Structure formats: C-alpha cells, structure tokens
Amino acid sequence: MNDALKLTIIAIGFSLVFTIITKILTAKLEKQLVSLIINKDYDGFDKLIDSIKTKYLLRPFNIDFMKLNVALLKLDIDQIDAMFNYFEEVRLNKTEKEAVSIKGFYYYLSIENYGKVKKYYNYIKQLKNDESSYEFDRIYDVYVKNGCEYLQETLKELETANELVKPVLEAMISKMYENKNEDKLAQEYADKAKKHLKNQ
C-alpha cells in the first residue's frame, strides 16, 4: 500500500469519526434544549441557545425556530413579532418558509390579527398544493371571511371523526352556523364542543 493511499484511508477514517461525534453532540444538545423548554427554564434555554457550541452544532434556522417556539410558549408578544419579522428578512428554503408560515397563520389567528393571518395564508397557498391546503382554506373561510362554504363537508366529517377531533369540528360548525345567522344551531354545536372538551 503506497503512502498516498494510506493517507486517503486515514483522512476518510478521521472524517467518519468526526461526523459521528458531531451527530452525537448535536443530539445531546437538542435533548438539553428540549429539556430546558419542558422544565420552563427559559433563562437556561437563552444561555444555551446563544452559546458558541449551539452556533457550531445547529443550523441557524433551527436555532431561530426554537427561539420562536419559546417566545410563543412564553406569550412574549414583542419577541414573537420580532421573530416573525426577522424571518421575513432572511432567506428560507421552501420547507422552512412553510413551517414559519403555518406558525404565523395559527398564532395570528389566535389573537385575531386577520391582516397577518391573510399574509401567512397567502404564503401557504403559494407553498402547498390545493389538496394539502384544504384545512387552511376552511379555517380562513370560517374565521376570516366569516363564511360557511365548508359546512356540509364538515358535518359529514364529524360523523366519523375521532373523539379528540370532534370538539374542534363542532366549534367550527358552530361558527359556520353563526356566520349564517342560525343562532340556535350555532349554540347547539357550541354546547356539543364544550361537552366533548369536558369529557377529554
């Protein structure tokens, strides 16, 4: 075996060992970060997420997306808005933009900021095909457009729905009846949703 071949084999060996060690360290770091989040040790999370080790082992998007998730858990409105604004400024691939857009859609829907819901809904429509954007289309119609386009489909879906999903569908059906000014049916499905939630 000549020296060049020996050096090549050694280099490949070092590369494999380096890759394995990096993967182990990354998995350990991610576990630590998740543990801090679960335990609501947000000061510890902030310190670790901003460490040199984290910057070396994790991709920038993963770091920033974790920061967004923690801001959402803390209901830190200023930080949430800052993170969403930051994601508007950086280049994201399709998967990353989709993940941020879905977070933005549901968050701004929860605080009834329909202007931003519309913005993220439009992003989602650009990124997903019609079939995979069905849920967003339905939610947007019901809660933003105050429509009832999906009423019959949702009633049919409710017939075979899992018990965990039923209160979500019933609440949506209630809102659709409310949008139709059919208050009696709106109240009936609101009561059903409350009953299912209570039993869970």
Side-chain angles (χ1 to χ4, degrees), residues 63-75:
I63 294 171
D64 295 327
F65 199 65
M66 287 187 89
K67 286 181 177 181
L68 171 61
N69 283 317
V70 168
L72 289 165
L73 287 171
K74 290 165 66 178
L75 298 176

Side-chain angles (χ1 to χ4, degrees), residues 105-189:
F105 179 87
Y106 284 117
Y107 169 68
Y108 287 110
L109 184 70
S110 74
I111 62 169
E112 299 180 357
N113 184 333
Y114 296 126
K116 289 196 174 179
V117 174
K118 183 176 182 180
K119 177 176 79 172
Y120 287 109
Y121 172 73
N122 287 333
Y123 286 162
I124 291 165
K125 290 295 287 179
Q126 291 167 16
L127 295 163
K128 287 180 168 285
N129 59 42
D130 290 340
E131 188 176 327
S132 63
S133 69
Y134 170 80
E135 279 306 320
F136 301 99
D137 294 337
R138 178 164 63 175
I139 290 168
Y140 189 80
D141 179 74
V142 175
Y143 294 102
V144 181
K145 293 169 68 178
N146 294 317
C148 52
E149 181 183 338
Y150 298 87
L151 178 57
Q152 294 308 314
E153 291 173 40
T154 310
L155 284 166
K156 190 173 178 63
E157 186 180 341
L158 181 62
E159 292 174 9
T160 56
N162 181 291
E163 289 298 312
L164 290 171
V165 177
K166 279 184 178 179
V168 177
L169 296 175
E170 287 162 345
M172 204 178 294
I173 290 165
S174 173
K175 176 63 176 166
M176 283 189 259
Y177 277 124
E178 182 186 315
N179 294 344
K180 288 184 73 179
N181 296 314
E182 295 186 23
D183 296 337
K184 188 176 178 181
L185 285 167
Q187 188 59 54
E188 178 186 327
Y189 280 92

